[in-house]
Amino acid sequence: MERLTSPPRLMIVSDLDHTMVDHHDPENLSLLRFNSLWEHAYRHDSLLVFSTGRSPTLYKELRKEKPLLTPDITIMSVGTEITYGNSMVPDHGWVDTLNHKWDLGVVKEETSNFSELTLQAETEQRPHKVSFYVDKSKAQDVTKELSLRLEKRGLDVKIIYSGGMDLDILPQGAGKGQALAYLLKKLKSEGKLPVNTLACGDSGNDAELFSIPDVYGVMVSNAQEELLKWHAENAKDNPKVIHAKERCAGGIIQAIGEFKLGPNLSPRDVSDFLECKVENVNPGHEVVKFFLFYERWRRGEVENSEAYTASLKASCHPGGVFVHPSGAEKSLIDTIDELRKYHGDKQGKKFRVWVDQVLATETTPGTWIVKLDKWEQSDDERRGCTTTVKFTAKEGEELAWEHVEQNWSEESKLKDDSSWII
């Protein structure tokens, strides 16, 4: 967040399962569409927040399974844990807030009296969250009786039922909504209150997100019955909350457009990159566009034509250099020539490429350094490189690729120099 010198243009606060992540989309296409839009148009001046019911353990598991971007802020365990950046630094102020009228021992003691409750996995039990499974038909009665018992013990708690089976007990001051309100207050005190905030969800534990004043909201098309019921009873006349026509991340992109919050055309929705131009110099866009082209080239989804390779070569500085993760150096022109022999080698396979944390800095007038993480997944194998690109301005507002250097990411499972192209 230190990169932001002024209020973020947009802050997206999104649930993960069945909202940002579509578990019925084996190719992860809607998520990848969102990824390229965010890195192309928003990463440099906006904030991405993931707000999930998952514990840190299950959140990290999801990151290994799906092509998720790195968020600026992560809210986990149904709004009971807030962390910042790659290192996931905890917000100790939030922890102090949640300790008010909360006693984990008493909660465990009282819930042990309910045979209807089945404790969830140990990883899901957190300092300010106790989680169970409960049959849908018994959830209402259990919630009512348990609330009374805990109140008699001097606790002030909140019980959230979502997903048709999950029952979470939290401090009254916790939850996705309160975590967002706390975050907005904190950002405002730092002079960085977002110009616009969009909350995105699909289930009951996301309802609170849509209750925060001045926040736009989107319920994705596949939203669960419990959230639609809440909306009908509490927010049907609120023009700032919509029920999208598209599933998951597709619904988030739809909402960006409907609320006019900024660009909503994902580079993945552009069929011909030769026609893909931006009005202003945007090194981040060049990176997103190239690696998306690289994916399509290897999948055989673009024609193996001289026009494409000529266009790529024209965008390179004549003395441009590529430093491979192995340490070997070669010219960028030679790298593009080599790319020709890989046309269509991933056709019919699960091969996807995405970029993360694309940040461009103009170091001197007309010179940019772009840092990013480039990832590719082929079937079940994922690997990635930290990538640094130096661009220089050419005549006519165009940019030339002058230097590209890649090193294996610490998170990369596979580090095979021989099969890595760029």
Side-chain angles (χ1 to χ4, degrees), residues 368-386:
W368 285 264
I369 297 295
V370 183
K371 296 192 173 183
L372 63 135
D373 293 324
K374 181 256 176 170
W375 291 94
E376 58 182 57
Q377 183 140 355
S378 186
D379 295 321
D380 294 327
E381 292 182 345
R382 180 189 293 194
R383 54 193 183 157
C385 274
T386 58

Side-chain angles (χ1 to χ4, degrees), residues 4-142:
L4 296 175
T5 55
S6 57
R9 175 165 53 121
L10 176 63
M11 182 166 80
I12 286 188
V13 183
S14 179
D15 173 52
L16 290 177
D17 296 288
H18 310 293
T19 301
M20 184 64 74
V21 175
D22 189 345
H23 292 285
H24 299 288
D25 176 7
E27 290 275 356
N28 300 304
L29 287 177
S30 63
L31 177 56
L32 290 166
R33 284 179 63 221
F34 175 84
N35 289 359
S36 61
L37 173 62
W38 187 260
E39 296 298 335
H40 145 63
Y42 293 98
R43 174 68 81 174
H44 64 291
D45 66 356
S46 299
L47 288 175
L48 180 61
V49 181
F50 290 158
S51 182
T52 177
R54 287 179 177 243
S55 65
T57 300
L58 289 188
Y59 167 64
K60 288 171 184 174
E61 283 183 15
L62 185 67
R63 289 193 64 81
K64 291 175 184 175
E65 295 165 9
K66 298 290 182 178
L68 285 167
L69 295 181
T70 302
D72 300 285
I73 304 168
T74 314
I75 301 171
M76 294 166 288
S77 306
V78 200
T80 61
E81 299 180 60
I82 301 175
T83 65
Y84 300 92
N86 285 8
S87 306
M88 297 179 71
V89 177
D91 188 318
H92 297 293
W94 182 236
V95 172
D96 292 341
T97 301
L98 298 186
N99 283 333
H100 179 69
K101 287 194 173 183
W102 172 257
D103 188 317
L104 187 61
V106 171
V107 173
K108 288 181 176 179
E109 184 186 325
E110 288 295 341
T111 51
S112 67
N113 296 315
F114 289 81
S115 59
E116 302 92 335
L117 296 175
T118 303
L119 203 63
Q120 291 186 18
E122 188 60 36
T123 58
E124 299 314 285
Q125 312 308 324
R126 305 295 297 167
H128 295 96
K129 179 176 81 79
V130 187
S131 298
F132 298 90
Y133 297 119
V134 63
D135 187 85
K136 190 175 182 179
S137 62
K138 298 173 182 175
Q140 194 169 351
D141 290 340
V142 168

Side-chain angles (χ1 to χ4, degrees), residues 263-279:
N264 70 323
L265 177 64
S266 170
R268 280 191 175 268
D269 296 331
V270 176
S271 57
D272 189 349
F273 292 122
L274 293 177
E275 303 298 320
C276 185
K277 304 289 184 185
V278 289
E279 291 181 13

Side-chain angles (χ1 to χ4, degrees), residues 44 132 162 172 214 260 290 309 332 346 353 378 411:
H44 64 291
F132 298 90
S162 64
Q172 184 59 244
D214 303 318
K260 297 181 170 57
F290 170 75
T309 49
L332 282 169
K346 298 292 184 181
V353 176
S378 186
E411 297 172 33

Side-chain angles (χ1 to χ4, degrees), residues 206-267:
D206 299 314
E208 293 180 352
L209 292 172
F210 307 128
S211 305
I212 306 300
D214 303 318
V215 167
Y216 290 97
V218 56
M219 303 179 297
V220 291
S221 70
N222 50 292
Q224 295 186 26
E225 178 190 343
E226 67 216 20
L227 183 59
L228 298 178
K229 184 172 182 287
W230 174 89
H231 178 259
E233 294 171 357
N234 299 278
K236 66 178 180 181
D237 297 322
N238 183 354
K240 283 193 165 188
V241 179
I242 62 167
H243 185 193
K245 294 181 175 66
E246 290 195 50
R247 290 180 58 84
C248 300
I252 298 173
I253 295 172
Q254 180 191 334
I256 292 172
E258 287 207 20
F259 291 129
K260 297 181 170 57
L261 302 178
N264 70 323
L265 177 64
S266 170

Side-chain angles (χ1 to χ4, degrees), residues 299-312:
R299 285 172 62 90
E301 293 173 350
V302 292
E303 187 183 349
N304 186 355
S305 74
E306 190 61 46
Y308 282 118
T309 49
S311 174
L312 287 176

